[in-house]
Amino acid sequence: VNPYSISLFAPPRQPRAVESPLCFRRALSMPRHQMRRRAAALALAVTTIIMMSSRMTPTGLQAATSASTLRPRPDLRVAGFGRPLLARTHQVRPGVASMGHPPPRHVGVQAERDDKEWINFQESKTFEDQPSLESVLPALDAGSTVDVIVVGAGPAGLALAGELGRRGVTVGLVGPDVPFTNNYGVWADEFEELGLGHTLEAVYQDALVLVSEERGMEPVGRRYGRVGRKELRDELLARCAANGNVRFLDGMVETVEAKDGSLQTIATSEGVSLHANLVVMSTGHNRELLEYEKGDAPLWQTAYGIEIEIPDGEHPWEVDKAVFMDLSPPEAEEEEAGKAWADVPSFLYVLPSPGRVFVEETCLVSKTQLPFDELKRRLYRRLERMGLSVEGRKIVEEEASWIPLGGTLPKAPQPVLGFGAAAGLVHPASGYSIVHSLGLAGPTAEAIVQGLADQPAGRHADPAWSVLWGAESRRKMAFYQFGSELIASLPTENLQEFMRVFYALPPVLWEGFLSHRLPSPMLIPFALTTFVLGNNDLRMDLLRQLFSPAGLKMFQAATYSPPAEAAEATAHSDTVEGASPSSSSQSPSSSLTRAGMTVMRRSAPLQEPLDVVFRRGQLARLSRMGGGGGSGGAPPGGLRWANWKSVAAMVAAGTGVVLYYNYEKERVLSETKVTVTGTPMLGGAYSLVDAATGETRESSDFHGQYVLLYFGFSKCPDICPTELKKMGRALDMVDKADGIPTVQPVFITIDPKRDTPERLNAYKKDYHPRLICLTGSNENIAQVSKAFRVYFSAPAGDEEDYLVDHSIFFYLMGTDGKFLEYFGKNLTAEEVAHKMQRVIREDLSVKRMEGASS
């Protein structure tokens, strides 16, 4: 029996098997190692053709930052997309929490304020529960010399300073003494791996996603957490204060001098000078004191949210579920028509808590920053359509977040080191950054220690730059940037299709993509599976993006390796650090350059400040009053098409790959079609014998509990023992999950002639303690096997050394005895457990809604 055909027997409510790329991979029945070789050979051939014909040099790759998301909807079921959020606040000084009143329903384009007002509002918030840095850390005196100066006291800066101090490095922490004002949403398991689980203010047992109203809310099957601002800041400060090696100065850095063979020097706006072997810029989106590669402007993520007091019974959201992404339109199509920003999608993000709800309207990725006033209007309109009025309710906090996504990376190496968002450590397709930055604090600190010990003055940052932006990191970043550009180009309908496909991917792919952990070789199956599962519109969007500058950058990065001579020239150039001699467009006052010395000034940066870039893009779009498509235009960037031959070679190679893949898919599927037989359902009533008690067990005896079925035989030499061990490990993981009922494992023998009750009782002792073994007559076994479309072929003789060829699947049955899902041999125990939890949670959610409606 072709395992792919199993999906044809599932009830109409269960589309998972059809959409699962793992099932699709099983359908392509050629050996997997053969498929891997062919895919790798094709990818290598395409990359080689492009690199040889285009004669391109690696240029700008992309940086990024983090933000928030939202969504509600009680009548839906889910599937999710993650990123940092801007969430909640408690002790906010009066007058700070809210910037303005709800906007009119139809705010005109000309009524929109400059977003700088919103940014200043967000940055000026104060929180009385967060102590000042000066009250916790010892003072850094003017004129001091330390090993490392870290500029910026956000999460990334504090984490790096703490890791350096723990290694015995003396650190000067310099920056404004301000609290953490943005909130962060994280995957709970990732924060727990960093030893920061205790700083989570709330942990949601699942995250929900709505990609279309027809599909409804769908659970992702992964815990989500909201980071407590005070708790995280207190923990990072405690790490800095633990050893006495970190001292603090409240001030704004104005200039940085990097001299060959000498200490680096910073000067603050108050005229205080400090000296160190190495200066690290951890200044978030402020890029004035680092030099970046030439290239495109970044894309943008913006979000506007409010936390309101609302009794639990008056809103539709469960307090233990985070709504990751509600992509339903915020208002009716006829209301959107004609608005300047109507073609830029946004979605709702919801974090409920007892007595309060944080709701936020988020633009995931756009080429022009969606104004906060527009997001605010959409949020209020969406809530109004849902029957939730903000008027008369207490607004605990109002938040506005802007996050540059992608753009160009810092030049590496350069004498001054970047870290956090300033170093481009933000995921350009999602906005995730805090987990990535905190996770890299330790390895970066270790590399700094190595650089201080082994490298000459002026080269101390080189090992750390290699940790942050080695060849593998650049390959992955180019792929993420490709995804970001793709998302920014999609209209709402295609964005919904992309998100549907994204969450249909195996967890190892979509979770790895969001966490920066997916190795670059896995990006090929990620892209191919997305192409296969998408509809034709999405496939065309993917192909168009493949032949765009972002696609070319991705191909370039696939073979990127930093040339040694370029690194040498970068570190010891007599011109502006890393700059081309012909870059005369730079301000001469931005960097005082003479032999062996570079001076960078905040007042005359080497590149435009990002707030200037985004406002120019907004004004250009407003002048067109909504003209253009997708998410607005962006200026062409620093990647040049070498000649028409490179374009033609890339088109031909890409077309060949697509045609060959489609040919192989159709060929293999045509060979397997003859095996697809059966009725439109899996499972059915059966009556077998419990080997432990000798009593008859009906299928109805298991109603009221979830059942995991496996068909096998006790003399199986390897497959059955391996699968039953896997079943046991998966059940143990599911047992530990909150809110999941106990799942009953059942083993049905397909060789009742030899598998006597005594043999089965002895056999099951090696496996899960709850395992029930069932047997019966040949006729009974044949009947239940047919009901589940299980293929087996047992020998007719009485010999003891034998093999039985049979299907290898777990079948998950619902509390009503109906088939829910199956799990193939290709899944690990972790993947089985993860998928089982997701399916059971979805089934429970459906039953709750059905019960409520009745």
Side-chain angles (χ1 to χ4, degrees):
V1 174
N2 173 17
Y4 185 62
S5 67
I6 294 247
S7 63
L8 303 179
F9 308 136
R13 189 174 63 82
Q14 304 294 338
R16 288 187 219 65
V18 175
E19 295 172 357
S20 170
L22 293 174
C23 299
F24 181 82
R25 196 184 304 159
R26 292 295 301 270
L28 301 179
S29 57
M30 70 173 65
R32 289 190 196 171
H33 68 275
Q34 205 174 85
M35 285 295 290
R36 290 194 197 102
R37 288 175 186 167
R38 294 189 184 188
L42 286 169
L44 181 61
V46 172
T47 304
T48 303
I49 290 172
I50 294 165
M51 296 301 296
M52 292 180 65
S53 61
S54 62
R55 303 194 302 273
M56 292 181 236
T57 57
T59 58
L61 289 144
Q62 317 300 329
T65 309
S66 54
S68 315
T69 44
L70 314 176
R71 66 213 104 187
R73 230 132 186 134
D75 53 323
L76 316 170
R77 304 177 294 140
V78 181
F81 199 79
R83 334 88 37 72
L85 55 95
L86 305 56
R88 68 175 0 195
T89 303
H90 291 294
Q91 300 177 9
V92 182
R93 192 170 65 188
V96 168
S98 179
M99 182 176 176
H101 299 290
R105 179 177 302 180
H106 301 292
V107 176
V109 170
Q110 301 304 325
E112 290 173 352
R113 290 166 286 183
D114 188 336
D115 276 353
K116 286 186 179 180
E117 295 181 35
W118 283 105
I119 295 171
N120 293 335
F121 156 73
Q122 180 69 20
E123 292 177 348
S124 65
K125 290 181 180 179
T126 60
F127 298 90
E128 297 173 358
D129 60 344
Q130 296 186 34
S132 67
L133 297 176
E134 288 180 327
S135 68
V136 177
L137 299 176
L140 178 65
D141 297 327
S144 296
T145 298
V146 293
D147 294 326
V148 178
I149 292 175
V150 177
V151 180
L158 287 178
L160 183 60
E163 290 291 337
L164 288 168
R166 187 168 68 87
R167 289 164 170 80
V169 177
T170 58
V171 180
L173 184 65
V174 182
D177 193 349
V178 295
F180 289 180
T181 59
N182 285 342
N183 290 275
Y184 300 93
V186 297
W187 298 110
D189 58 305
E190 292 183 353
F191 228 53
E192 290 163 355
E193 288 177 12
L194 296 175
L196 294 171
H198 62 286
T199 68
L200 294 177
E201 181 179 288
V203 176
Y204 299 93
Q205 296 308 308
D206 212 334
L208 308 178
V209 170
L210 181 138
V211 297
S212 69
E213 294 184 337
E214 293 75 18
R215 293 173 61 89
M217 285 282 182
E218 300 174 272
V220 179
R222 194 179 185 193
R223 293 181 304 129
Y224 192 69
R226 176 167 54 195
V227 179
R229 285 179 288 208
K230 169 180 167 51
E231 292 78 4
L232 178 62
R233 191 169 182 268
D234 287 350
E235 172 63 25
L236 296 179
L237 272 175
R239 295 181 182 184
C240 289
N243 43 58
N245 289 328
V246 181
R247 292 178 286 161
F248 174 72
L249 175 68
D250 184 4
M252 182 72 73
V253 175
E254 286 296 329
T255 63
V256 178
E257 294 184 7
K259 305 177 183 179
D260 283 356
S262 180
L263 297 174
Q264 297 180 3
T265 301
I266 67 167
T268 69
S269 54
E270 292 78 18
V272 174
S273 294
L274 300 167
H275 313 283
N277 292 304
L278 177 65
V279 173
V280 182
M281 305 305 300
S282 184
T283 52
H285 308 322
N286 300 307
R287 312 189 311 164
E288 290 83 357
L289 296 177
L290 280 174
E291 187 169 5
Y292 292 76
E293 296 172 346
K294 301 298 180 183
D296 297 341
L299 304 177
W300 304 95
Q301 183 180 95
T302 44
Y304 169 83
I306 54 174
E307 185 167 22
I308 55 177
E309 290 188 354
I310 179 170
D312 294 346
E314 296 182 17
H315 67 77
W317 303 293
E318 299 177 69
V319 295
D320 64 340
K321 303 286 193 307
V323 181
F324 240 7
M325 175 178 285
D326 179 351
L327 271 170
S328 60
E331 52 194 339
E333 291 185 8
E334 60 273 12
E335 294 176 333
E336 291 184 346
K339 292 191 173 72
W341 307 98
D343 59 341
V344 182
S346 61
F347 63 90
L348 181 66
Y349 173 85
V350 181
L351 294 176
S353 57
R356 291 180 176 182
V357 176
F358 178 77
V359 291
E360 185 174 78
E361 192 77 21
T362 299
C363 173
L364 180 59
V365 183
S366 176
K367 292 183 179 179
T368 305
Q369 180 167 307
L370 193 62
F372 292 116
D373 280 342
E374 170 64 12
L375 288 166
K376 182 174 182 176
R377 186 193 64 78
R378 290 187 187 187
L379 177 62
Y380 277 80
R381 183 64 183 127
R382 185 191 292 271
L383 295 176
E384 179 183 310
R385 292 185 68 202
M386 296 176 63
L388 295 174
S389 174
V390 178
E391 293 185 15
R393 301 190 189 277
K394 180 180 179 180
I395 297 179
V396 180
E397 183 179 8
E398 186 177 29
E399 285 215 342
S401 170
W402 70 295
I403 300 166
L405 301 177
T408 54
L409 294 180
K411 287 193 172 181
Q414 57 180 295
V416 176
L417 180 64
F419 190 67
L425 299 185
V426 183
H427 198 301
S430 67
Y432 268 128
S433 69
I434 187 167
V435 172
H436 189 43
S437 295
L438 297 182
L440 281 174
T444 303
E446 197 65 40
I448 290 173
V449 172
Q450 176 191 342
L452 293 175
D454 300 341
Q455 298 294 325
R459 303 292 297 273
H460 293 318
D462 288 12
W465 278 120
S466 297
V467 167
L468 297 176
W469 289 116
E472 171 69 1
S473 298
R474 287 177 176 270
R475 281 192 290 267
K476 292 194 291 186
M477 180 57 76
F479 186 86
Y480 300 151
Q481 182 65 23
F482 173 83
S484 179
E485 295 274 359
L486 171 67
I487 293 171
S489 69
L490 296 177
T492 301
E493 297 78 10
N494 293 13
L495 179 61
Q496 291 174 334
E497 172 65 10
F498 176 83
M499 292 302 173
R500 179 194 70 78
V501 170
F502 184 85
Y503 291 109
L505 296 173
V508 67
L509 290 181
W510 71 262
E511 291 179 7
F513 179 87
L514 292 179
S515 66
H516 293 262
R517 297 180 181 179
L518 196 65
S520 57
M522 290 298 294
L523 298 176
I524 295 175
F526 180 98
L528 288 177
T529 307
T530 303
F531 184 87
V532 170
L533 293 181
N535 60 22
N536 288 334
D537 288 342
L538 181 58
R539 289 171 183 159
M540 289 304 300
D541 288 326
L542 284 166
L543 289 175
R544 277 193 293 267
Q545 192 65 22
L546 185 66
F547 302 139
S548 72
L552 287 177
K553 289 179 183 179
M554 182 175 63
F555 283 118
Q556 281 184 296
T559 55
Y560 174 81
S561 60
E565 64 274 13
E568 185 76 21
T570 299
H572 297 289
S573 174
D574 288 344
T575 63
V576 176
E577 201 293 305
S580 168
S582 62
S583 56
S584 57
S585 59
Q586 296 177 2
S587 168
S589 62
S590 63
S591 178
L592 175 60
T593 59
R594 52 184 180 268
M597 181 175 183
T598 297
V599 179
M600 289 180 286
R601 295 186 175 87
R602 181 181 299 277
S603 58
L606 299 178
Q607 49 276 317
E608 262 191 315
L610 291 177
D611 56 352
V612 176
V613 175
F614 84 68
R615 188 54 180 170
R616 184 174 64 247
Q618 284 183 333
L619 294 175
R621 184 182 176 96
L622 290 175
S623 68
R624 299 193 300 269
M625 290 298 293
S631 303
L639 183 142
R640 301 185 302 276
W641 296 82
N643 51 50
W644 67 268
K645 293 181 181 179
S646 65
V647 179
M650 184 175 182
V651 172
T655 304
V657 170
V658 172
L659 293 177
Y660 177 79
Y661 185 83
N662 286 335
Y663 164 76
E664 287 289 330
K665 180 182 72 173
E666 295 300 328
R667 180 185 66 80
V668 176
L669 289 179
S670 65
E671 293 174 359
T672 60
K673 285 180 181 178
V674 295
T675 65
V676 179
T677 59
T679 62
M681 294 289 290
L682 274 175
Y686 56 83
S687 179
L688 298 173
V689 176
D690 189 329
T693 65
E695 298 178 355
T696 300
R697 297 294 294 264
E698 307 285 343
S699 56
S700 57
D701 294 342
F702 296 104
H703 287 186
Q705 58 185 321
Y706 291 96
V707 175
L708 192 62
L709 282 173
Y710 181 74
F711 292 81
F713 65 108
S714 64
K715 279 291 186 177
C716 181
D718 50 9
I719 297 298
C720 293
T722 300
E723 292 301 291
L724 288 174
K725 291 286 188 184
K726 181 204 297 184
M727 173 192 277
R729 293 196 303 273
L731 289 172
D732 289 341
M733 286 183 270
V734 172
D735 287 345
K736 296 176 183 177
D738 295 333
I740 300 292
T742 300
V743 178
Q744 175 61 55
V746 175
F747 176 88
I748 299 179
T749 180
I750 55 175
D751 186 22
K753 182 177 179 179
R754 299 171 182 81
D755 281 344
T756 63
E758 294 76 18
R759 176 180 281 184
L760 289 175
N761 284 332
Y763 180 68
K764 74 174 189 176
K765 292 178 181 179
D766 294 331
Y767 305 109
H768 198 278
R770 289 202 304 269
L771 183 66
I772 294 176
C773 292
L774 300 181
T775 184
S777 66
N778 289 332
E779 292 75 15
N780 293 146
I781 296 300
Q783 178 185 0
V784 68
S785 299
K786 182 178 180 180
F788 283 89
R789 298 301 180 267
V790 173
Y791 164 79
F792 68 93
S793 177
D798 296 326
E799 63 270 19
E800 284 297 309
D801 293 328
Y802 65 95
L803 292 176
V804 177
D805 188 17
H806 65 94
S807 305
I808 308 168
F809 295 100
F810 299 138
Y811 300 89
L812 180 62
M813 311 302 292
T815 55
D816 53 3
K818 294 182 180 179
F819 168 79
L820 289 179
E821 185 60 284
Y822 77 96
F823 312 102
K825 179 176 176 291
N826 54 341
L827 296 181
T828 65
E830 291 75 16
E831 290 171 331
V832 171
H834 182 94
K835 196 171 183 182
M836 202 184 321
Q837 291 180 54
R838 184 181 67 185
V839 173
I840 291 174
R841 292 185 194 279
E842 182 184 62
D843 187 63
L844 292 173
S845 177
V846 171
K847 284 181 169 54
R848 281 195 297 267
M849 288 188 290
E850 290 174 349
S853 61
S854 61

